[in-house]
Amino acid sequence: MKRLRRWFWTAATVAAVAALALFLVVQPGASPRPSTPPAADAQRLRDDVKRLSVDFYPRSYDRPEQLDRVAAWLRGEFERAGARVSEQPVVVEGQTYRNVIARFGPEQGRLRVIGAHYDSFADTGIDSGDERGYSPRTHTPGADDNASGVAGLLELARMLGRAQPQHRLELVAYTLEEPPHFRSEHMGSAWHARALRAQGREVEYMLSLEMIGRFSDRRGSQSYPLPGMHRLYSDRGDFVAVVGRLGDFGLTRKVKATMAGATPLPVHSINAPPLLVQGVDFSDHLSYWREGYPALMIGDTAFLRSPLYHQAGDTYDTLDYPRMAQVVQGVYAVATAP
């Protein structure tokens, strides 16, 4: 009898831990909060991704003159959307780069930050095979990573410019997210987050738009960093992910519910420690965690879905713009939510 009781309590404990883990990870109780945001323009998203990945190619750290061209174009687009625009110098190893900041809403109150990096990946350690010193072999076009996030940021600015946001908002186009500055104090987002902390700014949340354009309905198109996770989610890459640390559990549920209620696009979420689940901190939101601010990543799961991640094939014609537009509509619903 004693052995039976011990077995029962062990089984009950395992079941309770499993149920808690399931709740923390997939958050089944985050019911959609219905809303009717304005439609994002899928054709304009495509045009902006093409502009960034073709006309401004390459957008890597070793081509600062190109990044300057991108920053100037982004500033013009934000201004045309009706934003109050400024630039933040990012000085790294004697070279000046720029974050571009678009402000909407009132001048006072808690701040909502939504950002995306406009630089793209380059492997400068191998021969490009081109006299210019770059080619798609070494310098990716970066359509999904991360022209998609920047195009989403621009479309979000246009949508906000047609509204009258009741909340203080900053949309930030970051420089230097990619290697060799990835996860370092040199990232554009790190400069922005440190400046907010130095100014004593109160930040309600930060959302990082990191690769929002690749989707697939094919079985097996979605992989995960841990075995068995496909049983909790889906083996199809047909959803957008909301990713956070354990401490941002409440924020994750709120963002997930708001996005899920804004469009038919499936929204999955996870809160997990980065040491346990690879990729949880792989974007600009990490810079805000380091300054003590709540922050989430919104994306298509990058290399867990895309075989074209950091490859020459990451081109504008491989993305799903109708579903990308739904991601932007969901983010708009979050940005304008009470």
Side-chain angles (χ1 to χ4, degrees):
M1 179 62 71
K2 185 180 293 185
R3 183 177 298 175
L4 182 62
R5 283 200 300 270
R6 188 183 305 118
W7 176 88
F8 173 80
W9 285 113
T10 300
T13 301
V14 170
V17 170
L20 177 61
L22 179 66
F23 183 72
L24 286 173
V25 171
V26 302
Q27 302 163 12
S31 301
R33 299 179 180 180
S35 65
T36 54
D41 189 328
Q43 182 58 52
R44 191 154 46 196
L45 289 168
R46 180 186 175 92
D47 292 344
D48 286 344
V49 170
K50 183 178 180 181
R51 183 74 178 269
L52 285 160
S53 59
V54 177
D55 298 347
F56 289 125
Y57 172 81
R59 310 186 314 278
S60 50
Y61 80 98
D62 61 324
R63 302 290 161 174
E65 70 287 348
Q66 271 301 71
L67 292 179
D68 273 348
R69 290 182 61 218
V70 178
W73 177 71
L74 290 172
R75 176 168 191 142
E77 291 300 303
F78 281 140
E79 288 175 342
R80 278 186 282 277
R84 306 183 300 274
V85 186
S86 64
E87 296 179 3
Q88 179 185 32
V90 174
V91 183
V92 177
E93 298 174 352
Q95 177 66 54
T96 299
Y97 303 87
R98 291 184 281 171
N99 290 334
V100 185
I101 304 170
R103 296 179 174 87
F104 294 91
E107 295 283 359
Q108 303 298 322
R110 298 175 72 197
L111 180 64
R112 298 178 175 184
V113 178
I114 303 173
H117 71 90
Y118 64 86
D119 62 316
S120 59
F121 175 76
D123 185 351
T124 57
I126 62 175
D127 183 8
S128 68
D130 191 294
E131 62 182 12
R132 299 172 300 176
Y134 63 84
S135 71
R137 179 185 174 196
T138 55
H139 292 64
T140 176
D144 195 29
D145 186 16
N146 188 33
S148 66
V150 177
L153 201 66
L154 290 175
E155 184 63 8
L156 181 61
R158 297 176 186 120
M159 295 165 74
L160 291 170
R162 294 191 293 268
Q164 293 184 335
Q166 302 302 302
H167 298 277
R168 191 181 190 185
L169 289 159
E170 285 190 5
L171 308 187
V172 190
Y174 305 115
T175 190
L176 301 188
E177 188 269 355
E178 295 286 359
H181 303 301
F182 181 59
R183 299 176 61 83
S184 79
E185 72 277 11
H186 299 312
M187 291 170 66
S189 55
W191 282 71
H192 185 255
R194 285 196 301 267
L196 293 180
R197 177 55 67 197
Q199 295 162 14
R201 301 275 290 277
E202 185 179 4
V203 176
E204 184 177 347
Y205 60 71
M206 180 271 178
L207 304 180
S208 173
L209 307 186
E210 179 62 64
M211 304 179 63
I212 61 171
R214 197 168 302 285
F215 297 89
S216 175
D217 296 314
R218 179 179 57 82
R219 293 189 67 94
S221 57
Q222 182 66 50
S223 61
Y224 295 93
L226 295 175
M229 286 185 69
H230 67 283
R231 300 184 184 278
L232 299 176
Y233 295 98
S234 169
D235 68 346
R236 294 180 172 90
D238 60 355
F239 61 89
V240 64
V242 180
V243 180
R245 57 185 173 177
L246 293 176
D248 292 328
F249 177 72
L251 173 62
T252 304
R253 286 172 57 82
K254 180 179 178 180
V255 169
K256 175 182 181 179
T258 303
M259 292 187 69
T263 76
L265 184 69
V267 182
H268 294 322
S269 62
I270 183 170
N271 289 92
L275 289 177
L276 178 63
V277 180
Q278 183 189 34
V280 168
D281 58 351
F282 279 14
S283 190
D284 290 297
H285 57 302
L286 173 63
S287 299
Y288 296 82
W289 287 354
R290 287 173 169 167
E291 297 300 326
Y293 291 126
L296 303 175
M297 175 171 60
I298 295 174
D300 61 20
T301 76
F303 53 85
L304 295 172
R305 181 178 301 176
S306 176
L308 303 176
Y309 176 77
H310 284 184
Q311 300 295 319
D314 184 13
T315 56
Y316 76 93
D317 54 340
T318 63
L319 302 188
D320 185 325
Y321 294 98
R323 281 192 271 200
M324 183 173 158
Q326 292 184 344
V327 175
V328 177
Q329 287 170 226
V331 174
Y332 175 91
V334 174
T336 57

